[in-house]
Amino acid sequence: MSELRRELGLSEAVVYGVGLILGAGIYAILGEATGVTGGSIVFSFLLAAVIAALTGLSYAELASLFPKAEGDYIYAREAFDREFVSDVTAAGRLFMGVISSAAVALAFSGYLSSFVDIPAVPVAVLLVFVMAAVNYWGIELSTKINIVFTGIEVLGLLIIIWIARGSWGNAQVFQAPNGLFGVVQASFLIFFAYLGFGSIVNLSEETENATVTIPRAIVLAIGITTVLYVLVGLSAVSLVDWQVLGRSTSPLAEVAQVGWGPVGSTVLAVIALFSTTNTVLILQISTSRLLYGVSKSEYQVFPEVFSRVHPDRQTPHYAVGLIGLGTIPFVFLGDIGLVAGLANVMLLVVFVIVNAALLKLRYSRPEAERGFRTPFNVGKLSLTAVGGLVSSLGLIAFYITTW
């Protein structure tokens, strides 16, 4: 059996994207980002959303050209015809995938610690193993779990918005204790929250009518999560002092505690467990599909064994196993901010290559059939791709100079 099973439609693909973005962002990195920029966290979310959307549009067009599980790798390969560039792209995405899984698994441990006093690292390791097992079992089970868990995590965010709706006027959104530098630094951390849109493309070979469905899913996922992010960020700083949020390992539970009492804190902590679990699952799925794709016989970036599909489960079982095991060492770093920063750098390098690939393909293959085309063009030149390229380079430079 050499092909994956196509089980996903537009709604399932959007839910995958929304679930991945939300779990990796609000529930995992909100506290640390708010501690950097204070009430102006709202502007940090908006800045990160704009940067993500620019590159997201490039992904959408490229996914309509090449609906393959190998995603970023095939875009670079087709655009530049240089193995080094495409191999670096694949390695970067794989590295980012396992690092991100580790970061969110650590966030899961942080929320669990509000119920049980247990060491964070062993819990995170156990979560990765369990999600790898679900990934191995099959895309149908994974999809059902994802839909349920995503619904739960969206409910949690809606609860926060509802609790704080009457207090938004109290938010000091122009409060920036570290000035513009802090706003940008928080945006860099929050950018980790948007990694989900880039992983949606890795589900192309399990999605029906992928050339149209995947681009739509990317755009919808970014739009939905941005609205929720901004409203939740506003709600958080309207109820809780930014310094308190910055010190919290479970920031949304802290917000619910203030607005709803102990019951609210407990409810949000439980929901956060579902959210972070869901994110680890989807990261394991998308990263293993990328490994599966780039290990195919026509590429052989990695040994061909990782492109094999289990005859019964119809999942790339060897790729699933390697990604699960590869995540574990990064869990032992034990620092969400550090892990998120490392993931961001790898992600941004890949984004530079992806935007450059779209710019190149616009001229080298202008007549190629596309199921989606980015807006705002001057002739063959995509202005959004230029914006995505420049902003990604800018964030890389910012991280290097402030590390």
Side-chain angles (χ1 to χ4, degrees):
M1 184 68 66
S2 59
E3 294 184 356
L4 303 176
R5 179 181 296 165
R6 292 188 183 274
E7 296 277 357
L8 309 178
L10 177 60
S11 58
E12 290 87 357
V14 171
V15 170
Y16 262 101
V18 170
L20 180 51
I21 295 172
L22 291 181
I26 287 286
Y27 288 94
I29 207 71
L30 174 65
E32 186 158 348
T34 305
V36 169
T37 193
S40 57
I41 187 70
V42 172
F43 295 109
S44 296
F45 272 120
L46 288 172
L47 178 59
V50 169
I51 296 171
L54 292 172
T55 299
L57 290 170
S58 294
Y59 268 101
E61 181 169 332
L62 289 167
S64 74
L65 269 172
F66 309 106
K68 299 289 187 180
E70 47 269 35
D72 323 67
Y73 172 82
I74 194 68
Y75 310 155
R77 183 184 177 97
E78 294 292 333
F80 303 112
D81 195 26
R82 296 178 185 274
E83 289 189 4
F84 175 76
V85 176
S86 54
D87 289 356
V88 166
T89 303
R93 285 286 281 119
L94 290 169
F95 190 54
M96 185 274 295
V98 296
I99 291 176
S100 301
S101 292
V104 182
L106 288 168
F108 172 91
S109 299
Y111 279 97
L112 187 62
S113 66
S114 63
F115 298 102
V116 185
D117 185 17
I118 51 178
V121 171
V123 170
V125 170
L126 178 61
L127 177 65
V128 171
F129 274 123
V130 172
M131 291 304 100
V134 173
N135 185 13
Y136 159 78
W137 191 257
I139 193 66
E140 185 177 0
L141 174 62
S142 300
T143 300
K144 290 177 180 177
I145 291 174
N146 175 58
I147 290 173
V148 173
F149 282 24
T150 298
I152 292 172
E153 65 191 73
V154 170
L155 175 63
L157 300 185
L158 292 176
I159 288 173
I160 291 292
I161 294 168
W162 180 78
I163 289 172
R165 69 193 188 285
S167 304
W168 288 345
N170 299 330
Q172 298 179 8
V173 296
F174 294 103
Q175 174 196 56
N178 294 310
L180 181 61
F181 176 87
V183 174
V184 176
Q185 186 178 10
S187 292
F188 178 82
L189 286 171
I190 291 167
F191 195 67
F192 172 70
Y194 283 96
L195 60 89
F197 72 81
S199 299
I200 296 173
V201 300
N202 302 123
L203 302 176
S204 293
E205 292 184 39
E206 292 165 286
T207 302
E208 299 172 358
N209 193 20
T211 57
V212 175
T213 301
I214 293 297
R216 289 178 179 174
I218 292 171
V219 173
L220 287 171
I222 292 175
I224 292 169
T225 52
T226 296
V227 172
L228 288 171
Y229 274 165
V230 171
L231 291 178
V232 171
L234 177 63
S235 299
V237 295
S238 69
L239 286 179
V240 182
D241 182 83
W242 65 273
Q243 292 174 311
V244 174
L245 286 173
R247 294 191 297 267
S248 177
T249 58
S250 51
L252 287 188
E254 196 85 43
V255 176
Q257 168 79 27
V258 172
W260 195 6
V263 173
S265 176
T266 301
V267 169
L268 261 294
V270 170
I271 290 175
L273 293 176
F274 283 98
S275 176
T276 46
T277 297
N278 193 35
T279 302
V280 173
L281 172 61
I282 307 171
L283 281 167
Q284 291 287 304
I285 292 171
S286 61
T287 309
S288 62
R289 273 30 172 204
L290 175 61
L291 177 58
Y292 154 82
V294 299
S295 302
K296 293 174 182 176
S297 58
E298 61 263 41
Y299 308 132
Q300 294 185 341
V301 179
F302 293 94
E304 191 178 349
V305 65
F306 296 114
S307 69
R308 295 180 186 175
V309 176
H310 194 281
D312 297 323
R313 305 262 56 90
Q314 290 185 273
T315 54
H317 50 305
Y318 290 113
V320 167
L322 182 63
I323 295 303
L325 291 173
T327 302
I328 303 303
F330 296 99
V331 171
F332 286 91
L333 291 176
D335 184 331
I336 294 176
L338 172 62
V339 175
L342 290 172
N344 273 351
V345 171
M346 296 308 305
L347 183 65
L348 288 165
V349 169
V350 172
F351 282 1
V352 169
I353 295 172
V354 166
N355 284 298
L358 178 59
L359 293 170
K360 175 74 161 48
L361 288 165
R362 278 291 187 87
Y363 289 89
S364 62
R365 301 189 190 181
E367 305 304 324
E369 185 177 350
R370 291 163 166 82
F372 176 88
R373 188 177 179 87
T374 65
F376 309 114
N377 302 286
V378 177
K380 297 177 183 178
L381 181 68
S382 168
L383 297 181
T384 57
V386 172
L389 178 64
V390 172
S391 59
S392 297
L393 285 171
L395 284 180
I396 291 173
F398 176 84
Y399 182 77
I400 292 173
T401 57
T402 57
W403 192 15

